[in-house]
Amino acid sequence: EVQLLESGGRLVQPGGSLRISCAASGFALNSYAMTWVRQAPGKGLEWVSTIRGGATMTFYADSVKGRFTISGDNSKNTLDLQMNSLRVEDTAVYYCAKHLNGLLPSPFDSWGQGTLLAVSS
Amino acid sequence: SFELTQPLSVSVALGQTATITCVSDNIGHNLVHWYQQKPGQAPVLVIYRDSDRPSGIPQRFSGSNSGTTATLTITRAQAGDEADYYCQLWDVRAAVVFGGGTKLTVL
């Protein structure tokens, strides 16, 4: 059974950094594309970043480019998101999502329950 | 930028058919996926590649995509279908794109 469990979300001051993780089980991370999606309170889904299976390619939303870094640890089967220079508008629940396969246009067939990042002074 | 336009809200009478649209120029050239999100829960894939249904999703859920509009159709709407629905696609320039979401109310 595929499971995704995010962790690491907490309260951070503006300008701070945080690394959140997604522990994957039931499949090999490096065989699938993986994506981080966030949802600000009361708002819709917003794409953050995608990594292609095997970490051959990474993609970022303009709103986080240069500040966030997506990476995968195949030995631990975890997906990470390093977030620097955090802003109040980064406040959101962050979901990791598994693609149906290793192809980038494939849909997200499994989602974690999310981890909450709050950026505030 | 690539935008997908959804109605903010759609209402449907219990047992009737709900239609949720996702509009963008030439969306018919892309593969569109649809997600259902209930309050406090993670999204769930309900339709992928325009019209395919994941295992476990009722046949009442169907999708189509042509021209400038992708459509999610829910027949025989039930109270349990009340949720937010999002369309999504992959664009070679914009990567992952989500629609703004539609709140479905079953009356």
Side-chain angles (χ1 to χ4, degrees):
Chain A
E1 180 191 4
V2 170
Q3 288 193 336
L4 299 168
L5 183 61
E6 302 93 337
S7 63
R10 63 176 175 87
L11 176 64
V12 177
Q13 290 192 335
S17 296
L18 186 68
R19 189 178 191 89
I20 59 176
S21 294
C22 172
S25 59
F27 69 100
L29 202 68
N30 62 0
S31 296
Y32 294 84
M34 296 292 295
T35 285
W36 286 100
V37 175
R38 69 185 181 184
Q39 188 169 35
K43 302 297 184 181
L45 302 176
E46 180 188 9
W47 171 65
V48 175
S49 181
T50 295
I51 187 166
R52 191 170 177 175
T56 54
M57 298 176 71
T58 57
F59 304 84
Y60 298 94
D62 288 343
S63 57
V64 306
K65 200 172 294 183
R67 301 188 298 123
F68 289 13
T69 302
I70 189 172
S71 62
D73 186 330
N74 295 329
S75 65
K76 297 179 181 178
N77 220 37
T78 58
L79 178 73
D80 294 332
L81 186 67
Q82 175 67 42
M83 302 180 286
N84 300 328
S85 303
L86 284 164
R87 305 167 179 168
V88 171
E89 55 265 34
D90 294 320
T91 295
V93 173
Y94 285 72
Y95 295 101
C96 71
K98 169 187 165 293
H99 288 238
L100 183 63
N101 52 44
L103 301 177
L104 298 172
S106 62
F108 312 128
D109 67 339
S110 294
W111 297 66
Q113 283 305 303
T115 188
L116 176 61
L117 164 65
V119 183
S120 174
S121 54
Chain B
S1 63
F2 200 112
E3 292 188 0
L4 301 176
T5 301
Q6 297 183 236
L8 285 176
S9 63
V10 168
S11 297
V12 61
L14 186 68
Q16 297 304 303
T17 298
T19 299
I20 299 174
T21 57
C22 178
V23 176
S24 185
D25 290 343
N26 295 315
I27 194 174
H29 294 165
N30 297 86
L31 295 174
V32 176
H33 318 304
W34 291 90
Y35 303 89
Q36 175 194 70
Q37 186 182 32
K38 296 182 179 180
Q41 298 183 18
V44 172
L45 179 68
V46 293
I47 292 290
Y48 66 104
R49 291 196 298 240
D50 294 341
S51 58
D52 290 337
R53 207 171 35 251
S55 60
I57 300 300
Q59 290 185 335
R60 301 185 297 104
F61 288 78
S62 63
S64 64
N65 183 17
S66 179
T68 61
T69 305
T71 303
L72 173 69
T73 302
I74 306 171
T75 59
R76 301 185 302 282
Q78 301 177 0
D81 298 332
E82 279 206 346
D84 294 327
Y85 290 86
Y86 296 89
C87 57
Q88 178 257 318
L89 56 77
W90 175 274
D91 177 75
V92 292
R93 296 161 296 176
V96 176
V97 184
F98 282 103
T102 298
K103 181 178 180 62
L104 177 68
T105 300
V106 180
L107 303 173

